[in-house]
Amino acid sequence: MIAREPVTAYVAVGANLGDALQTVLSSMAALDPLPGSCGSQRSRLYRTAPFEAHGPDFINAVVRLETRLSAPDLLDALQALETQAGRLRPYPNAPRTLDLDLLMYGHARMDSPRLTLPHPRLWERAFVVHPLADLAPELVTPADWARVAGQSIQVITHS
């Protein structure tokens, strides 16, 4: 279902299997042409160790997207992109070819078995807080920075 007015949504993008950098870049590019969506903006790219998991380092970013899709329809579109990238879910926090998390959908608050908004662990993870601050520094408070202060994160450059 297409929402009437555009809503600003924030999507976390991460990968740590295969060519993670290329997967993250490709998936960010794939968000803009989603039905009813436009005007995406991208954070810088970051490298982080897996959080509460094992495996290779992650490449992470956040995308701000203007969308007319409803939150559940946007989630469906994100999960379809994950599937196209070969995402498997063998166990919680498993390494992944692509992870797309809907962090915020305007000012929506939702708590269903399928979707919780804002994302319930949004403010606990440096790999989300840092790239989100690239796009919307006004959303990140000193308390948010303090919660992620001990987590290792590195800005990366690519060509």
Side-chain angles (χ1 to χ4, degrees):
M1 172 192 238
I2 304 287
R4 293 181 188 198
E5 295 297 319
V7 172
T8 300
Y10 292 90
V11 177
V13 182
N16 75 332
L17 292 179
D19 188 346
L21 175 61
Q22 187 55 51
T23 299
V24 167
L25 292 171
S26 297
S27 66
M28 289 192 301
L31 292 175
D32 202 40
L34 290 177
S37 301
C38 67
S40 67
Q41 295 178 311
R42 304 170 187 181
S43 73
R44 294 178 290 174
L45 299 173
Y46 293 84
R47 179 181 307 279
T48 59
F51 186 77
E52 299 177 346
H54 301 286
D57 285 353
F58 273 86
I59 305 299
N60 296 101
V62 168
V63 173
R64 176 174 39 214
L65 183 67
E66 298 300 318
T67 186
R68 294 178 184 272
L69 291 172
S70 68
D73 287 341
L74 180 55
L75 179 63
D76 288 343
L78 297 177
Q79 290 178 341
L81 290 172
E82 288 178 336
T83 299
Q84 289 171 8
R87 168 80 187 263
L88 300 175
R89 301 173 195 277
Y91 55 89
N93 297 323
R96 55 207 70 163
T97 54
L98 180 61
D99 187 24
L100 297 172
D101 287 334
L102 182 53
L103 301 173
M104 296 180 188
Y105 181 84
H107 298 289
R109 301 257 183 246
M110 181 181 290
D111 191 3
S112 74
R114 187 159 180 261
L115 180 60
T116 300
L117 292 170
H119 191 285
R121 292 171 301 283
L122 164 66
W123 304 112
E124 300 170 7
R125 298 171 170 175
F127 64 82
V128 175
V129 172
H130 283 259
L132 180 62
D134 287 348
L135 299 173
E138 71 281 2
L139 295 177
V140 182
T141 69
D144 300 326
W145 286 117
R147 272 192 294 281
V148 301
Q151 298 174 31
S152 177
I153 186 164
Q154 175 187 8
V155 175
I156 61 171
T157 57
H158 64 92
S159 45

